[in-house]
Amino acid sequence: MIASTKKRIAVVSVIVCIVCLFAACSSQNSAKEFASLADVDQQGNTVAACIGTSAMKEAEETFQSAKVMEYNSYIDGIMAVQKGVLQGFAIDQTALSYAMATEGIKNIKIIDEDVGEPNSIVAGISKNTTYPNLKGEINAFLAQMKSDGTLDDMYQRWVVEARDEMPKIPKPEKPQGKLIVATTGLTPPFSYYKGDTLTGMDLELIYRLADYLNTEIEIKTYDFMGITSAVEANLCDCVFSNLNATDERREAMDFSDPVYTSNTKLIVYSKSRIDGSVFDSISSSFEKTFIRENRWKMIVRGIQTTIIISLASAVLGTLLGFAVCMLNRTKSRAVHGFIRCFVRLLQGTPIAVLLMIMYYIVFSGSGASGLFVSIIAFSLNFAAYSSEIFRSGIDAVGEGQTEAALALGYTKTKAFFKIVMPQAACKFLPVYKGEFISLVKMTSIVGYISVQDLTRMSDIIRSRTYEAFFPLISTAIIYFIISYILTAILKAVEIRIEPDRKSRTIKGVEVK
């Protein structure tokens, strides 16, 4: 059976890869090219910027006729322009220049005109931080960095020369206190992953700040949308992540003095000359995605995290769901009402919303890790559904089965587990199996709360390669393989307990 499963996985994986490669090689982009902001600002065109950034506000003020949308990642915005999905994407000029210089992004160009006025890049500071006078300390630190030329040197190395070598910065020998700093890990050259190591200009600033304050540093990574929520929930003391100073963010956090200023530019589609064959391009993309900087190790780590969350949530959710099901079988109306509310509330709450409620509200002051919160949230969600699955299976077994067992001298508990439960399992396992696979796939959203699962690792790799094909296709294939293996295991359990599927022989009887 195992050999057969491996063959099926291999065949399906090969077919998926061939189909996707064919689609990638044969696709043509007929996107229109633009020369100015006025050309883009026309009815029917769509422009976007990252959510919560000053570029978003400037795009809304600049483009009156074109539709303006929000994107959660500027990597997705660049790719959308490359594919002709967007007619323009407003982005910080510094990050864009670095990306085009280091990765050679094809099929886009920068319009010379600025979008809006220059904006300040700052550090964000929690209004509820317990660190004494943190805003004043950070401003004093930045002033010293500017006066001795260190900040200019950092900008030259990381941004202008695109060097990604972190200098040796002494760690505090006897740190006084602890500072929790948030960043994204998705904005080269400021905060990004080199292999599985977080680095960048903002990270150097963080390490130098730790040396300046003589404090211990804990770094947490969030996406752009999660940074503001993390500060509001007091999950971090400050933010260093190429952060724009906007009015909406000012309501949630304080700002430091400007680290530097930057202009916003608009990128649009521009057909580039493709050098080399299609297979050369595919080979280069594969090398950047998996081989360069040993990025395959990030995928392995992401797989491990996904499996841990999936299995732990399934086990805890199953136990809790069974307990809820048993409580629902009692004769107490109060218990019935509580169980009904519990199940309906969790079933009616989207899992992404439940996950963020648990992280940003329920566990915000506990110091619980994102991994722990993810397991709790998915366990609760799975318990709500599995309890109903168990109930329907048990109710499908006739009362006569229990009565017959009691007549034979069984206790109620023994009758339930020896007679009723095996028959109920045959009925609910097919539905339970589908719910379990859905749980595995739903774990792909844990990146919202700073958990580096398989999908999050794929996003990190895309932020470095500026390519979607191999990171997304490999992620889809891996999820398929994990789901297939787990389905096969549950199928084997189902066959083992299903009486009609067993080959049975009677001792002492020869079958001819």
Side-chain angles (χ1 to χ4, degrees):
M1 181 177 176
I2 294 176
S4 175
T5 299
K6 290 181 177 178
K7 288 181 181 178
R8 290 176 183 175
I9 292 174
V11 170
V12 173
S13 299
V14 169
I15 292 174
V16 171
C17 287
I18 291 174
V19 171
C20 292
L21 285 172
F22 177 79
C25 296
S26 60
S27 62
Q28 299 292 328
N29 193 342
S30 57
K32 183 180 178 181
E33 298 189 37
F34 301 94
S36 66
L37 297 181
D39 290 342
V40 179
D41 191 19
Q42 302 292 331
Q43 290 285 344
N45 291 340
T46 304
V47 176
C50 279
I51 185 171
T53 62
S54 58
M56 185 70 225
K57 180 180 178 181
E58 290 159 357
E60 290 174 336
E61 294 175 351
T62 301
F63 299 100
Q64 300 298 318
S65 298
K67 180 181 178 181
V68 181
M69 296 178 58
E70 295 178 332
Y71 269 53
N72 193 38
S73 166
Y74 79 83
I75 307 302
D76 294 330
I78 291 175
M79 293 179 181
V81 172
Q82 288 176 315
K83 298 300 181 183
V85 177
L86 292 176
Q87 282 66 55
F89 187 77
I91 184 174
D92 177 78
Q93 181 181 14
T94 306
L96 178 62
S97 300
Y98 173 88
M100 297 192 70
T102 55
E103 295 295 339
I105 301 175
K106 297 181 176 64
N107 295 333
I108 66 169
K109 69 177 181 180
I110 306 173
I111 291 182
D112 292 335
E113 305 165 73
D114 290 339
V115 180
E117 300 296 326
N119 53 81
S120 298
I121 305 299
V122 297
I125 301 150
S126 171
K127 293 183 177 182
N128 299 315
T129 179
T130 57
Y131 200 96
N133 191 28
L134 182 57
K135 180 177 179 179
E137 293 281 11
I138 290 178
N139 286 337
F141 163 72
L142 292 174
Q144 177 179 307
M145 295 280 286
K146 292 175 182 178
S147 64
D148 62 17
T150 304
L151 195 58
D152 290 336
D153 174 68
M154 289 173 57
Y155 191 90
Q156 180 71 22
R157 285 186 287 106
W158 289 104
V159 179
V160 179
E161 299 176 9
R163 291 159 54 189
D164 57 1
E165 298 177 0
M166 181 70 69
K168 292 184 178 180
I169 301 171
K171 294 184 178 180
E173 295 182 359
K174 296 181 180 180
Q176 302 294 320
K178 181 179 180 180
L179 195 66
I180 302 176
V181 185
T183 188
T184 62
L186 298 172
T187 54
F190 304 100
S191 173
Y192 64 97
Y193 282 87
K194 182 181 180 182
D196 56 358
T197 302
L198 196 58
T199 188
M201 179 176 169
D202 283 328
L203 272 296
E204 183 176 339
L205 273 173
I206 293 170
Y207 297 143
R208 291 188 182 278
L209 177 63
D211 180 50
Y212 176 84
L213 297 177
N214 189 36
T215 187
E216 182 184 352
I217 289 287
E218 179 184 347
I219 298 175
K220 294 183 177 182
T221 57
Y222 300 89
D223 61 13
F224 291 96
M225 186 172 59
I227 286 259
T228 302
S229 299
V231 175
E232 281 187 308
N234 203 30
L235 295 171
C236 61
D237 295 300
C238 59
V239 177
F240 281 84
S241 191
N242 192 36
L243 193 71
N244 300 121
T246 65
D247 293 335
E248 288 185 351
R249 283 178 173 166
R250 195 179 298 277
E251 296 176 3
M253 68 185 81
D254 292 327
F255 292 142
S256 71
D257 294 336
V259 181
Y260 64 92
T261 58
S262 179
N263 296 329
T264 299
K265 293 290 188 180
L266 189 76
I267 58 172
V268 294
Y269 175 80
S270 177
K271 188 172 183 180
S272 304
R273 181 175 62 87
I274 301 177
D275 298 321
S277 65
V278 172
F279 288 100
D280 288 338
S281 177
I282 293 174
S283 175
S284 173
S285 177
F286 182 88
E287 186 273 334
K288 286 195 294 183
T289 301
F290 300 106
I291 308 302
R292 190 176 299 180
E293 299 178 359
N294 291 323
R295 288 173 183 155
W296 62 270
K297 293 182 179 179
M298 301 175 67
I299 294 177
V300 172
R301 284 173 50 204
I303 293 173
Q304 292 173 344
T305 302
T306 294
I307 292 176
I308 289 171
I309 295 174
S310 300
L311 295 182
S313 300
V315 171
L316 291 177
T318 299
L319 295 175
L320 180 58
F322 184 75
V324 170
C325 177
M326 291 297 98
L327 286 173
N328 200 29
R329 292 175 61 82
T330 63
K331 297 180 180 180
S332 171
R333 291 186 178 181
V335 173
H336 280 216
F338 173 78
I339 295 301
R340 190 180 300 111
C341 291
F342 172 82
V343 172
R344 296 293 178 266
L345 179 64
L346 289 174
Q347 287 182 341
T349 304
I351 184 59
V353 176
L354 175 63
L355 186 67
M356 288 188 282
I357 288 174
M358 298 296 290
Y359 186 74
Y360 292 115
I361 299 176
V362 177
F363 288 97
S364 62
S366 66
S369 68
L371 182 66
F372 173 81
V373 175
S374 298
I375 292 173
I376 296 299
F378 281 103
S379 296
L380 290 172
N381 180 266
F382 192 67
Y385 286 94
S386 62
S387 66
E388 292 295 286
I389 293 171
F390 296 150
R391 183 187 61 78
S392 62
I394 294 171
D395 289 346
V397 179
E399 288 290 336
Q401 300 289 328
T402 303
E403 294 172 358
L406 295 175
L408 291 172
Y410 282 75
T411 63
K412 286 187 177 182
T413 301
K414 192 173 182 180
F416 178 80
F417 285 103
K418 289 287 187 179
I419 305 298
V420 176
M421 197 60 187
Q423 296 180 68
C426 296
K427 301 179 183 300
F428 67 64
L429 261 180
V431 183
Y432 177 87
K433 179 173 59 180
E435 192 62 37
F436 182 35
I437 299 307
S438 296
L439 167 68
V440 175
K441 293 183 288 187
M442 284 192 297
T443 61
S444 61
I445 65 171
V446 295
Y448 286 150
I449 61 169
S450 187
V451 178
Q452 295 183 341
D453 70 319
L454 177 58
T455 304
R456 175 70 174 182
M457 289 303 190
S458 171
D459 291 339
I460 291 172
I461 291 174
R462 287 194 300 126
S463 74
R464 295 298 314 281
T465 63
Y466 299 94
E467 294 184 3
F469 181 77
F470 276 112
L472 295 181
I473 293 301
S474 62
T475 300
I477 291 174
I478 292 169
Y479 271 112
F480 169 79
I481 293 173
I482 293 173
S483 300
Y484 195 97
I485 292 173
L486 294 175
T487 302
I489 294 172
L490 291 176
K491 189 75 172 178
V493 174
E494 185 180 355
I495 292 173
R496 187 172 181 82
I497 67 173
E498 176 61 64
D500 295 338
R501 298 187 182 184
K502 292 181 180 179
S503 58
R504 294 176 291 177
T505 59
I506 304 175
K507 292 183 179 181
V509 177
E510 182 179 353
V511 180
K512 293 185 179 181

